[in-house]
Amino acid sequence: MTELRSLLWFRRDLRLSDHPALLAAAADGEVVPLFVVDPALWGPSGDVRRAYLLRSLRALDASLDGRLVVEEGDPVAVLPAVAARTSARRVHVTADTGPYGRRRDEAVEHALAADDRELVRTGTNYSIGPGTLLTGSGSPFQVFTPFSRAWREHGWPRPAVSPGDARFASGAGDGVDGPHWPAEPDLGDLALPAAGEKAALARWHEFLEERIDDYATDRDRPDQNGTSQLSAPLKWGELHPRTILADLSRKRSAGAETYRTEIAWREFYADVLWHRPETAREYYRPQLEALAYTEPGEAFRAWSEGRTGFPVVDAGMRQMRAEGWIHNRVRMIVASFLVKDLHVDWRHGAREFMHFLRDGDLASNNHGWQWVAGSGTDAAPFFRVFNPVTQGKKFDPQGDYVRRYVPELRHLAGAKAHEPWDAADGYASGYPERIVDHAHERKVALDDYARIRS
């Protein structure tokens, strides 16, 4: 008698623990683990995100004793072909709630059904699936605080049990033309943290035991190691937010509560994108599109390469080029500078981030940019303009963050690193002068905002 088989199509759930879709697949019999390198997603990704993904897949493959099947191509064609080749009647997935993922999965579902096979969605990449929570009037939430309140009151399931009895097929990739792993991009001197489920859990447990209690105060300090840097593991599902929330329930501190709120922000933006998928590329508040934006030119390139002459802005953009990551406080500072000092449409900055960041997540990234630009959800008025000098001095008071990423300013001690124009030797090592006058550009931005309001 032929043993039943099913496919487990990994996407943004690159782990084996706390994985409901894996449990559902294992209940069908032997599991063929599959990842599809989709050109629609691989093509627009930058080298950093590609490299991190491939390393995460290598870690997953090691956990599966080399049994992960990797295919390249359109999933609409790949999934029916692999299912037929492996005699799998069902394809199990964690539900994808992004705009492209929803369209793709519907097309895959139809293609499988045409061959009398089934796509089975189990679980979500979030603690509460986007689209689940609604206001008392039945409408989507547009403001974070009431969403967060409903999110906490609703609650979430405990982490899924361990799939200890799951049996993974060996040799499922046999009969195809060689391995389909893409080549890993050469990142030069850029160093990525360890990828994969084991590394993510180790990082989370270290943060939980040693730094979570100080998170409420330290999270805004880019000069300190005050954050968990788990945004990339969460983006790729190397651990589930439900796992984090279960661990946080055993902690009683302001830091733990603040971290829980940050998870809620991530889920809020996913919920917004579920209800308004067009806001991944378009303005949530379309009236802000009437601002007098300038086309990206030399000033945009200076911003992107970290040579604006504003130290904390340049440190942030150079950190992104050096590590594929930027501290969250600095993300807000550099975003405000691009939109309100250089008057560039937020979508250009959002694309730049998605290209260079290892944690590039469409919902969090693009709605975070809209928040800074004043065109997104919540009370995020356009006239909230970040002063890059005062922000730098407040959150990097001794200039350590700036000196770490801007070597031209390492000769300036303490807070002097934030104002090289006030030091006699501030430009001695070749640091560029400021490309704009912040006070003037702030007035230009606010005057333009007043114009469209009237």
Side-chain angles (χ1 to χ4, degrees):
M1 182 176 180
T2 303
E3 183 177 19
L4 292 177
R5 269 185 173 181
S6 65
L7 280 177
L8 176 60
W9 178 18
F10 286 97
R11 289 97 69 89
R12 288 181 53 176
D13 50 359
L14 306 183
R15 64 186 185 279
L16 298 183
S17 62
D18 194 3
H19 200 312
L22 169 54
L23 296 176
D28 277 353
E30 193 176 50
V31 179
V32 177
L34 170 70
F35 185 87
V36 180
V37 180
D38 183 350
L41 298 175
W42 183 262
S45 296
D47 283 348
V48 174
R49 203 154 73 222
R50 290 176 180 175
Y52 189 93
L53 169 59
L54 286 172
R55 294 181 191 184
S56 186
L57 288 171
R58 294 285 183 193
L60 177 64
D61 187 42
S63 298
L64 292 165
D65 297 323
R67 291 185 168 105
L68 181 65
V69 179
V70 176
E71 299 280 340
E72 291 185 87
D74 185 344
V76 176
V78 170
L79 266 298
V82 176
R85 189 177 79 219
T86 58
S87 301
R89 305 307 305 173
R90 305 175 87 188
V91 176
H92 290 269
V93 296
T94 302
D96 194 326
T97 58
Y100 169 75
R102 290 159 68 181
R103 296 193 305 270
R104 174 204 58 206
D105 286 359
E106 184 176 349
V108 168
E109 185 173 31
H110 287 310
L112 289 169
D115 197 24
D116 198 26
R117 303 181 195 277
E118 185 181 1
L119 182 71
V120 182
R121 300 170 179 84
T122 306
T124 170
N125 293 316
Y126 300 90
S127 65
I128 301 173
T132 300
L133 302 177
L134 298 171
T135 67
S137 62
S139 60
F141 285 96
Q142 300 183 54
V143 179
F144 172 71
T145 299
F147 172 88
S148 176
R149 189 180 305 117
W151 179 78
R152 292 166 192 266
E153 291 173 353
H154 181 280
W156 38 82
R158 299 286 300 171
V161 298
S162 174
D165 57 349
R167 289 175 292 109
F168 295 98
S170 60
D174 294 348
V176 295
D177 242 352
H180 286 168
W181 289 83
E184 182 174 313
D186 181 3
L187 300 183
D189 295 332
L190 190 148
L192 290 176
E197 180 180 13
K198 291 181 181 178
L201 287 170
R203 189 177 307 135
W204 165 239
H205 291 147
E206 182 270 336
F207 177 76
L208 185 67
E209 295 306 316
E210 298 182 13
R211 288 180 284 129
I212 188 71
D213 291 340
D214 297 321
Y215 179 73
T217 54
D218 289 355
R219 69 191 181 100
D220 274 326
R221 293 285 299 273
D223 59 330
Q224 298 182 2
N225 184 25
T227 68
S228 65
Q229 293 201 33
L230 285 171
S231 49
L234 282 168
K235 186 263 189 307
W236 294 113
E238 295 171 338
L239 79 170
H240 198 285
R242 184 174 48 223
T243 300
I244 290 176
L245 291 166
D247 288 340
L248 286 175
S249 68
R250 297 190 289 271
K251 284 280 187 178
R252 295 291 183 269
S253 68
E257 184 58 30
T258 301
Y259 201 96
R260 189 179 292 109
T261 299
E262 292 304 304
I263 296 291
W265 269 108
R266 182 176 181 271
E267 307 223 340
F268 173 58
Y269 282 148
D271 190 74
V272 171
L273 190 60
W274 168 273
H275 291 288
R276 297 278 305 275
E278 78 282 1
T279 60
R281 305 283 186 267
E282 299 173 13
Y283 279 65
Y284 187 86
R285 302 184 189 279
Q287 61 269 32
L288 270 291
E289 196 169 3
L291 288 166
Y293 291 119
T294 61
E295 287 299 312
E298 176 52 36
F300 178 82
R301 287 188 289 275
W303 171 83
S304 174
E305 295 168 6
R307 47 183 180 85
T308 67
F310 289 87
V312 74
V313 173
D314 294 341
M317 299 307 292
R318 295 188 195 189
Q319 182 183 26
M320 182 167 70
R321 296 291 184 106
E323 301 174 6
W325 185 82
I326 311 179
H327 187 279
N328 186 61
R329 167 57 58 172
V330 184
R331 294 188 195 207
M332 292 188 284
I333 297 170
V334 302
S336 177
F337 187 85
L338 181 68
V339 174
K340 296 168 184 177
D341 285 70
L342 301 184
H343 317 297
V344 173
D345 189 313
W346 66 266
R347 290 174 287 196
H348 296 289
R351 279 195 293 270
E352 193 79 355
F353 272 26
M354 288 295 288
H355 181 78
F356 283 103
L357 290 174
R358 64 179 184 252
D359 62 0
D361 176 90
L362 188 66
S364 294
N365 182 70
N366 289 26
H367 283 102
W369 271 91
Q370 292 230 47
W371 183 88
V372 172
S375 63
T377 60
D378 278 74
F382 182 84
F383 50 80
R384 179 183 290 149
V385 181
F386 285 68
N387 183 313
V389 178
T390 57
Q391 287 279 310
K393 293 170 74 174
K394 179 178 181 181
F395 297 110
D396 179 31
Q398 296 304 313
D400 293 333
Y401 175 75
V402 163
R403 281 187 293 274
R404 188 182 310 150
Y405 297 103
V406 186
E408 307 98 298
L409 298 177
R410 286 176 185 166
H411 65 290
L412 298 180
K416 291 181 180 179
H418 291 290
E419 298 176 288
W421 46 86
D422 283 344
D425 60 346
Y427 296 106
S429 298
Y431 185 64
E433 295 191 12
R434 292 169 285 184
I435 62 173
V436 294
D437 180 321
H438 170 71
H440 172 73
E441 300 305 336
R442 178 181 184 276
K443 183 177 185 304
V444 169
L446 295 181
D447 286 349
D448 194 36
Y449 180 64
R451 173 187 64 81
I452 68 167
R453 288 192 67 191
S454 64

